[in-house]
Amino acid sequence: MKSIVDLVNAHKKDNTAGIYAVCSAHPIVLEAALRYSLTTGRTLLIEATSNQVDQFGGYTGMTPKDFRQFVLQLALQLNFPSEQLILGGDHLGPNRWQNKPAAEAMAQAECLIRSYVEAGFKKIHLDCSMSCADDPVPLTDEIVAQRAARLAKLAEETCLACFGTQDLAYVIGTEVPIPGGAHETLTELTITTPEAAIKTLQAHISAFAQLGIEAIWPRVAALVVQPGVEFDHASVIDYIPAKAQALSRVVEDFDSLIFEAHSTDYQTPQALQQLVHDHFAILKVGPELTFALREALYGLAAIEEEMLPAHACSGLREVLESVMLDKPEFWRSHYEGTTQERHLARSYSYSDRVRYYWPDREIDAAMSRLMDNLSAAPLPLPLVSQYLPLQYARVREGKLRATPHFLVIDHIQDVLRKYDAATHSSH
């Protein structure tokens, strides 16, 4: 299996080498990613975030061990080789327990790290950036680095005890908004300065040395910074290479280090390719994948409404809206504006708060009914052309089966094609 360290070495030789991380727990998204990587034969990196998956279950209800078994079961069903798979943990640290005193939050963070490493996750993002209840605001680089080093030491000890080896790759730093896109409307981003990036690196090098774990530094594979990419509910801030050139050159002075770019969702293919060229060689994508899932399902719901009388339809869109209104906790604090603006945001926001609702029993039942309704007879190709035109073209070329399931899978894979091209290109 190619490791993250192997990727770093490849990028150092040729700055077109990169990898994308699929940050989603949705089974259809993960199936799309596994099927796509089967066709390319490339290593697939799948990541869980600390709010999705933790020692208590996170919002998915899965512990790290559960998540690993979930992904491996999907892989087994698709005959996907497990050695072609890397699992990563994102934003692992005390962030979930910020309302607790630092000592208590860090104790929970240690349990979190241990549970991820024991489960076989090999890429570990150490994120101790957010202040706890009794902390100064903001934290100093030194405190952040000392806490990260403490968690790295525990991760190393756990890996050795469980697997008899120490093969973890680490990511440090976190100059990005919280996972899943910005909460506020963005107008301009502050790009990480080279000085700030170097200070973060030096603080971590020093903290690792103080704990006697400096030998693992070659496996600190990536630094998270803000290269100037982000999205909010209705707009995308595109990568502007000229603004990030000084930052880009920072990692050229480190033999075993690249950058990891978060919130790259919705960037253009050209921007993604340029990010990799500029050493932001790990590209994280999450909401854009479930946004594409929702697009495809809405397309199928429109086809269903054309084909069937109203009483026979799944009513997926209406059920989704009803449940989101009944259970507003996942979107209410994120979407502002008029009633109509909030209505539009619930379905169409780039931040895709819909993704939190797919596991709901009512919504899942409506989705199953939609797929059953459209599987009962061949789909009329003119309707596929109307609502899923890119998939229609592949159906006509004989490259895609015109079944509801595979139309959804292929639409999600359109996002993955963009990322695959960016991370395996010749510039």
Side-chain angles (χ1 to χ4, degrees), residues 233-244:
H233 305 313
S235 61
V236 179
I237 293 184
D238 291 311
Y239 180 56
I240 301 174
K243 291 187 175 182

PDB file of all heavy atoms in Angstrom, residues 233-244:
ATOM      1  N   HIS A 233     -22.255  29.916   2.028  1.00  0.00           N
ATOM      2  CA  HIS A 233     -23.510  29.298   1.608  1.00  0.00           C
ATOM      3  C   HIS A 233     -23.790  29.453   0.120  1.00  0.00           C
ATOM      4  O   HIS A 233     -24.373  28.568  -0.500  1.00  0.00           O
ATOM      5  CB  HIS A 233     -24.662  29.879   2.431  1.00  0.00           C
ATOM      6  CG  HIS A 233     -24.444  29.744   3.904  1.00  0.00           C
ATOM      7  ND1 HIS A 233     -24.027  28.567   4.477  1.00  0.00           N
ATOM      8  CD2 HIS A 233     -24.553  30.648   4.912  1.00  0.00           C
ATOM      9  CE1 HIS A 233     -23.899  28.743   5.781  1.00  0.00           C
ATOM     10  NE2 HIS A 233     -24.199  29.987   6.073  1.00  0.00           N
ATOM     11  N   ALA A 234     -23.363  30.570  -0.462  1.00  0.00           N
ATOM     12  CA  ALA A 234     -23.765  30.847  -1.850  1.00  0.00           C
ATOM     13  C   ALA A 234     -22.607  31.259  -2.749  1.00  0.00           C
ATOM     14  O   ALA A 234     -22.835  31.577  -3.916  1.00  0.00           O
ATOM     15  CB  ALA A 234     -24.833  31.938  -1.865  1.00  0.00           C
ATOM     16  N   SER A 235     -21.392  31.272  -2.246  1.00  0.00           N
ATOM     17  CA  SER A 235     -20.271  31.703  -3.083  1.00  0.00           C
ATOM     18  C   SER A 235     -19.011  30.928  -2.733  1.00  0.00           C
ATOM     19  O   SER A 235     -18.896  30.332  -1.658  1.00  0.00           O
ATOM     20  CB  SER A 235     -20.026  33.210  -2.920  1.00  0.00           C
ATOM     21  OG  SER A 235     -19.700  33.506  -1.583  1.00  0.00           O
ATOM     22  N   VAL A 236     -18.070  30.965  -3.685  1.00  0.00           N
ATOM     23  CA  VAL A 236     -16.801  30.265  -3.534  1.00  0.00           C
ATOM     24  C   VAL A 236     -15.675  31.279  -3.695  1.00  0.00           C
ATOM     25  O   VAL A 236     -15.708  32.106  -4.613  1.00  0.00           O
ATOM     26  CB  VAL A 236     -16.643  29.161  -4.604  1.00  0.00           C
ATOM     27  CG1 VAL A 236     -15.297  28.452  -4.461  1.00  0.00           C
ATOM     28  CG2 VAL A 236     -17.795  28.159  -4.516  1.00  0.00           C
ATOM     29  N   ILE A 237     -14.724  31.242  -2.788  1.00  0.00           N
ATOM     30  CA  ILE A 237     -13.517  32.053  -2.957  1.00  0.00           C
ATOM     31  C   ILE A 237     -12.478  31.187  -3.646  1.00  0.00           C
ATOM     32  O   ILE A 237     -12.034  30.165  -3.113  1.00  0.00           O
ATOM     33  CB  ILE A 237     -12.997  32.589  -1.612  1.00  0.00           C
ATOM     34  CG1 ILE A 237     -14.009  33.594  -1.049  1.00  0.00           C
ATOM     35  CG2 ILE A 237     -11.628  33.238  -1.771  1.00  0.00           C
ATOM     36  CD1 ILE A 237     -13.585  34.279   0.225  1.00  0.00           C
ATOM     37  N   ASP A 238     -12.124  31.592  -4.858  1.00  0.00           N
ATOM     38  CA  ASP A 238     -11.244  30.779  -5.697  1.00  0.00           C
ATOM     39  C   ASP A 238      -9.775  31.016  -5.366  1.00  0.00           C
ATOM     40  O   ASP A 238      -9.374  32.101  -4.944  1.00  0.00           O
ATOM     41  CB  ASP A 238     -11.490  31.102  -7.174  1.00  0.00           C
ATOM     42  CG  ASP A 238     -12.856  30.621  -7.640  1.00  0.00           C
ATOM     43  OD1 ASP A 238     -13.180  29.453  -7.378  1.00  0.00           O
ATOM     44  OD2 ASP A 238     -13.587  31.411  -8.253  1.00  0.00           O
ATOM     45  N   TYR A 239      -9.002  29.977  -5.595  1.00  0.00           N
ATOM     46  CA  TYR A 239      -7.559  30.047  -5.371  1.00  0.00           C
ATOM     47  C   TYR A 239      -6.917  31.014  -6.362  1.00  0.00           C
ATOM     48  O   TYR A 239      -7.151  30.933  -7.566  1.00  0.00           O
ATOM     49  CB  TYR A 239      -6.955  28.658  -5.539  1.00  0.00           C
ATOM     50  CG  TYR A 239      -5.460  28.595  -5.322  1.00  0.00           C
ATOM     51  CD1 TYR A 239      -4.896  29.041  -4.131  1.00  0.00           C
ATOM     52  CD2 TYR A 239      -4.617  28.082  -6.304  1.00  0.00           C
ATOM     53  CE1 TYR A 239      -3.527  28.972  -3.920  1.00  0.00           C
ATOM     54  CE2 TYR A 239      -3.248  28.009  -6.106  1.00  0.00           C
ATOM     55  CZ  TYR A 239      -2.707  28.452  -4.908  1.00  0.00           C
ATOM     56  OH  TYR A 239      -1.352  28.395  -4.712  1.00  0.00           O
ATOM     57  N   ILE A 240      -6.107  31.927  -5.816  1.00  0.00           N
ATOM     58  CA  ILE A 240      -5.349  32.866  -6.648  1.00  0.00           C
ATOM     59  C   ILE A 240      -3.874  32.583  -6.406  1.00  0.00           C
ATOM     60  O   ILE A 240      -3.312  32.988  -5.370  1.00  0.00           O
ATOM     61  CB  ILE A 240      -5.704  34.324  -6.310  1.00  0.00           C
ATOM     62  CG1 ILE A 240      -7.206  34.559  -6.529  1.00  0.00           C
ATOM     63  CG2 ILE A 240      -4.883  35.298  -7.160  1.00  0.00           C
ATOM     64  CD1 ILE A 240      -7.689  35.920  -6.083  1.00  0.00           C
ATOM     65  N   PRO A 241      -3.220  31.865  -7.310  1.00  0.00           N
ATOM     66  CA  PRO A 241      -1.851  31.404  -7.069  1.00  0.00           C
ATOM     67  C   PRO A 241      -0.880  32.516  -6.683  1.00  0.00           C
ATOM     68  O   PRO A 241      -0.033  32.330  -5.793  1.00  0.00           O
ATOM     69  CB  PRO A 241      -1.461  30.755  -8.402  1.00  0.00           C
ATOM     70  CG  PRO A 241      -2.756  30.328  -9.009  1.00  0.00           C
ATOM     71  CD  PRO A 241      -3.749  31.366  -8.595  1.00  0.00           C
ATOM     72  N   ALA A 242      -1.001  33.655  -7.321  1.00  0.00           N
ATOM     73  CA  ALA A 242      -0.036  34.734  -7.064  1.00  0.00           C
ATOM     74  C   ALA A 242      -0.032  35.155  -5.596  1.00  0.00           C
ATOM     75  O   ALA A 242       1.012  35.539  -5.052  1.00  0.00           O
ATOM     76  CB  ALA A 242      -0.356  35.935  -7.957  1.00  0.00           C
ATOM     77  N   LYS A 243      -1.199  35.081  -4.942  1.00  0.00           N
ATOM     78  CA  LYS A 243      -1.292  35.514  -3.546  1.00  0.00           C
ATOM     79  C   LYS A 243      -0.656  34.513  -2.576  1.00  0.00           C
ATOM     80  O   LYS A 243      -0.370  34.862  -1.426  1.00  0.00           O
ATOM     81  CB  LYS A 243      -2.756  35.736  -3.161  1.00  0.00           C
ATOM     82  CG  LYS A 243      -3.400  36.942  -3.844  1.00  0.00           C
ATOM     83  CD  LYS A 243      -4.785  37.186  -3.283  1.00  0.00           C
ATOM     84  CE  LYS A 243      -5.408  38.452  -3.867  1.00  0.00           C
ATOM     85  NZ  LYS A 243      -6.743  38.726  -3.303  1.00  0.00           N
ATOM     86  N   ALA A 244      -0.480  33.278  -3.028  1.00  0.00           N
ATOM     87  CA  ALA A 244       0.016  32.229  -2.132  1.00  0.00           C
ATOM     88  C   ALA A 244       1.441  31.788  -2.458  1.00  0.00           C
ATOM     89  O   ALA A 244       1.930  30.817  -1.875  1.00  0.00           O
ATOM     90  CB  ALA A 244      -0.924  31.024  -2.190  1.00  0.00           C
TER      91      ALA A 244
END
